[in-house]
Amino acid sequence: MASAETDPMPDVSPHSPPLLSMKGIDKSFPGVHALKDVDFELEAGQVVALLGENGAGKSTLIRVLGGAHQLDAGLIEIDGKPLSITSPQESQAAGISVIYQEFNLVRAMTVRDNVFLGQEPSRLSIIPVEQERKRALELFDRLGVLIDPDALVGDLTVAQQQIVEIAKALATDARIIVMDEPTAALSPNEVEGLFTIIRDLRAQGIGIVYVSHRLIEIFEIADRVTVLRDGGLVGTKPIKDLTRESMIEMMVGRKLENEFPSRSDTGEVVASSGLEVRNLCRGDSVRNVSFQVSRGEIVVLTGLVGAGRTETARLIFGADHRDSGEVSLDGQPLTITNPRKAISAGICLLTEDRKNQGLVLQRSVLENFGLPNMLRFAPRGWINQTCERSAFDRYVEQLQIKVASNEQLAANLSGGNQQKVVLARWLERNAEVIIFDEPTRGIDVGAKYEIYLLMNELAAQGKAILMISSELPEVIGMADRILVMHEGRITGEIAEGRTATQEQIMDYAVK
């Protein structure tokens, strides 16, 4: 990958105002002071990474910029001129486009329709289809990609959908593009393709605000880094003045000696029989998969996006019907035809998509905790709220879950705390096998360490841990053994996970 420091940048006069200046930005919600006197600057033709732990204020700041939230105090300037942004339409009119992690696309409409959605002159106007098709092709050519303007968005890959979002931004003549966790669901090759596009946009004078928890990417693509913590500005530094360690220290407010906790931090691991999967099959997505996860062991299942990792986890958990294969626990065959039977057998799954599949976002954290534990808290048909609250309070303390109250909506928690709520309810079930599917996706470096520590502690208690991850440093840092999948099959096993190399894993991943 090319270094961000060697990429050409447009000349910017030292006396000209920045493309974007946000000064003294302040924003509060009931019970939360989300932004406290925050300053942020972006030059034309520059990539500025906006970093911080979950809850640091990053999302609030970009939502203020995008017009989704109105600031309580402060000033926004474009080219040195004050700007009032009270709606997304005003933000767009000012040349600002925000590409959120959850894309704002209509899957049932064509690429062309999505690119120009909302730009129709009037309701009664005849939409110039051929003109829009030609313009869409020009935009994709500018981005160096080929996408059919008449294809349905729902038929595109995640990487292609992201490019459609970027084309939408260019169609509105955006000069500032905000990308929120843009690589969360991309393969390494797709990430490199996105970086090529970002470098081209930077060379065209467009300013990019890049939000990501993947620090390795920041050194690849960013010119400067701005760090927020607890709603306040920690500082802004050129990327050349930072190391990974100093960046983490700015984010968490302390030195993090090790990114991955050693097993000595949680005691000795004593492996014994646990989960065994034999000849698991489902169409072409999972083909004759067999492996074992002993109690006290962390096995990491990895591979490129689409390799069949999540599909394998869903078959074990009973979320999907398997064509054939067997699942056993401690040598006893299990008949698992749905998640309820898996949970009863002691197998639990923390899903990759915790927001849509792991939580009921518009319900309280207490209700989410109690959902799979209703028989425990409501044996006679009504909920023993004292018992339920007492149990949840124990996990709030044990897992250090940051909640304002037990009635707080799950939607309002940070990613790391949402993950802990899901984990708490499975621990209350006394699960013997815990499957973590991308447990740290979208979670900051400090919260990641806490999740890693919890996984080690669970293994030390004799739980069998199956972890699915596409982040290779995480795979190597956490695995006792590594299983690599490609096109639905296990193509390699590395017995000593923490001695593996990324090259070794990728060799198996592309077989």
Side-chain angles (χ1 to χ4, degrees):
M1 292 184 182
S3 167
E5 295 177 49
T6 62
D7 291 322
M9 289 176 53
D11 292 331
V12 177
S13 168
H15 303 296
S16 63
L19 172 60
L20 168 69
S21 177
M22 303 178 77
K23 302 176 182 178
I25 304 300
D26 211 274
K27 179 63 182 178
S28 293
F29 302 98
V32 179
H33 197 171
L35 293 173
K36 310 166 188 174
D37 194 30
V38 171
D39 295 340
F40 180 85
E41 283 192 357
L42 174 70
E43 300 283 358
Q46 194 175 61
V47 178
V48 176
L50 181 62
L51 304 182
E53 295 188 273
N54 290 105
K58 307 184 302 297
S59 295
T60 304
L61 187 66
I62 64 176
R63 286 180 180 277
V64 166
L65 182 60
H69 295 325
Q70 294 185 36
L71 53 77
D72 296 333
L75 177 67
I76 299 176
E77 295 180 338
I78 301 290
D79 294 327
K81 299 176 182 177
L83 179 70
S84 174
I85 299 177
T86 60
S87 69
Q89 290 75 22
E90 289 181 346
S91 177
Q92 181 176 304
I96 300 165
S97 179
V98 181
I99 302 174
Y100 294 103
Q101 189 172 353
E102 289 82 19
F103 297 148
N104 188 23
L105 297 172
V106 183
R107 294 174 59 85
M109 295 177 67
T110 67
V111 168
R112 173 183 53 79
D113 288 334
N114 272 274
V115 168
F116 299 105
L117 190 63
Q119 298 185 52
E120 301 84 359
S122 72
R123 288 185 181 180
L124 301 179
S125 297
I126 298 174
I127 300 174
V129 175
E130 287 304 322
Q131 184 178 332
E132 286 189 348
R133 184 179 290 114
K134 180 182 178 182
R135 175 65 175 144
L137 287 171
E138 290 173 351
L139 291 170
F140 291 131
D141 183 63
R142 180 178 171 186
L143 294 172
V145 297
L146 182 61
I147 295 178
D148 181 3
D150 296 315
L152 289 179
V153 163
D155 293 335
L156 302 183
T157 66
V158 173
Q160 289 172 323
Q161 289 180 22
Q162 191 164 69
I163 292 169
V164 173
E165 283 277 22
I166 296 173
K168 279 176 58 180
L170 297 181
T172 62
D173 296 321
R175 300 173 61 205
I176 298 166
I177 300 178
V178 182
M179 298 183 180
D180 186 8
E181 296 287 351
T183 63
L186 302 187
S187 70
N189 286 340
E190 290 169 337
V191 171
E192 184 54 48
L194 175 64
F195 285 178
T196 298
I197 290 172
I198 291 175
R199 293 184 182 110
D200 288 344
L201 293 173
R202 176 170 57 188
Q204 296 169 29
I206 292 174
I208 308 288
V209 182
Y210 190 91
V211 182
S212 178
H213 289 302
R214 294 182 172 180
L215 301 188
I216 191 171
E217 297 176 357
I218 305 306
F219 290 97
E220 292 287 346
I221 202 65
D223 301 300
R224 289 190 296 122
V225 171
T226 293
V227 178
L228 303 182
R229 187 169 68 240
D230 296 330
L233 176 66
V234 176
T236 298
K237 292 186 177 182
I239 192 67
K240 62 183 178 61
D241 293 343
L242 289 167
T243 64
R244 186 180 181 89
E245 291 73 23
S246 62
M247 195 181 293
I248 290 173
E249 187 173 352
M250 287 180 71
M251 291 171 62
V252 303
R254 65 186 190 282
K255 287 188 176 181
L256 202 60
E257 298 296 337
N258 297 303
E259 206 169 332
F260 304 98
S262 66
R263 283 302 184 87
S264 60
D265 294 338
T266 51
E268 287 294 321
V269 177
V270 181
S272 61
S273 61
L275 174 71
E276 186 174 359
V277 174
R278 290 186 295 272
N279 304 320
L280 207 60
C281 294
R282 179 180 168 87
D284 291 332
S285 61
V286 179
R287 300 190 281 179
N288 204 37
V289 168
S290 299
F291 61 88
Q292 184 173 352
V293 184
S294 298
R295 288 180 176 273
E297 184 181 35
I298 298 176
V299 173
V300 179
L301 189 61
T302 190
L304 301 178
V305 174
R309 304 162 305 164
T310 293
E311 291 81 356
T312 298
R314 288 177 61 84
L315 292 182
I316 295 170
F317 189 58
D320 294 326
H321 176 72
R322 60 178 181 262
D323 297 335
S324 60
E326 299 177 0
V327 176
S328 300
L329 180 59
D330 296 332
Q332 298 298 314
L334 302 175
T335 302
I336 298 175
T337 55
N338 55 54
R340 180 177 297 176
K341 290 187 176 181
I343 294 168
S344 297
I347 299 176
C348 295
L349 170 66
L350 280 80
T351 63
E352 175 183 18
D353 187 354
R354 58 180 171 267
K355 290 187 176 181
N356 292 318
Q357 299 177 4
L359 294 166
V360 182
L361 294 178
Q362 296 307 314
R363 293 291 185 178
S364 72
V365 290
L366 183 63
E367 288 174 302
N368 274 276
F369 168 73
L371 279 173
N373 296 297
M374 293 304 293
L375 291 178
R376 187 180 303 254
F377 300 131
R380 295 179 177 85
W382 61 86
I383 299 174
N384 185 331
Q385 293 187 342
T386 301
C387 182
E388 184 183 38
R389 290 178 184 276
S390 176
F392 184 61
D393 287 344
R394 288 200 307 272
Y395 290 110
V396 168
E397 182 177 355
Q398 177 186 339
L399 304 180
Q400 298 181 8
I401 307 174
K402 296 178 182 177
V403 292
S405 73
N406 288 347
E407 305 308 318
Q408 184 174 359
L409 294 183
N412 295 334
L413 294 183
S414 68
N417 286 302
Q418 287 178 340
Q419 193 72 288
K420 290 179 181 180
V421 170
V422 178
L423 179 58
R425 69 188 189 192
W426 294 142
L427 294 180
E428 180 65 17
R429 295 282 316 187
N430 196 28
E432 301 301 328
V433 177
I434 306 178
I435 304 172
F436 292 84
D437 191 356
E438 298 286 4
T440 64
R441 174 169 290 172
I443 293 178
D444 63 76
V445 66
K448 280 183 179 182
Y449 189 88
E450 293 179 3
I451 296 293
Y452 299 149
L453 198 59
L454 285 169
M455 292 174 67
N456 280 357
E457 290 173 351
L458 291 168
Q461 293 169 18
K463 310 294 185 184
I465 307 296
L466 177 63
M467 178 184 184
I468 298 171
S469 176
S470 53
E471 292 193 39
L472 296 188
E474 176 176 83
V475 171
I476 295 168
M478 289 301 298
D480 294 315
R481 283 189 297 122
I482 298 172
L483 303 173
V484 187
M485 291 190 72
H486 174 65
E487 294 184 348
R489 290 192 173 96
I490 292 180
T491 52
E493 177 176 344
I494 303 172
E496 297 293 333
R498 300 199 182 201
T499 65
T501 65
Q502 295 193 25
E503 292 76 13
Q504 188 179 12
I505 296 171
M506 287 304 298
D507 183 51
Y508 286 127
V510 297
K511 280 188 175 180

